[in-house]
Amino acid sequence: MTQQDFLNIIGNKISNEMQKTIIRNNFQPQLADQLCKVIDSHEAADLFQRMMNEWIEYQNRQQQIVQAFMRQYYRLT
């Protein structure tokens, strides 16, 4: 993750909290709770997707390292 990714996550968190505050101030409690849960679920899904993308990128880098090692090893023997 880059510094910009972290800044985007923080900015989205602030924006989501502001949206939830507006919702809580303008809707009935039951409806507000449901709407806030939707925002929280979307935020969690976004973070999970980012984590999975990072994991896939890490796995790809590891695979490239192993392949490079194997190419070099078998060329030398």
Side-chain angles (χ1 to χ4, degrees):
M1 279 193 165
T2 65
Q3 183 178 4
Q4 187 60 47
D5 290 331
F6 284 117
L7 292 174
N8 289 342
I9 289 169
I10 292 167
N12 287 339
K13 181 68 172 175
I14 292 168
S15 174
N16 288 344
E17 292 303 319
M18 290 173 57
Q19 289 176 0
K20 291 190 306 186
T21 299
I22 291 169
I23 288 170
R24 287 186 187 108
N25 289 334
N26 291 302
F27 291 94
Q28 296 175 359
Q30 288 178 328
L31 181 57
D33 286 342
Q34 290 176 348
L35 293 171
C36 289
K37 284 180 184 177
V38 169
I39 292 172
D40 289 339
S41 296
H42 184 268
E43 183 179 345
D46 184 47
L47 291 173
F48 181 76
Q49 182 177 6
R50 286 177 186 266
M51 182 190 71
M52 288 303 298
N53 289 341
E54 285 291 319
W55 177 253
I56 290 168
E57 185 178 321
Y58 172 78
Q59 290 294 318
N60 288 336
R61 284 193 309 265
Q62 292 299 315
Q63 183 179 11
Q64 290 170 357
I65 290 168
V66 169
Q67 287 173 348
F69 172 79
M70 296 299 283
R71 280 193 298 270
Q72 183 179 9
Y73 176 78
Y74 283 111
R75 233 185 276 153
L76 294 176
T77 59

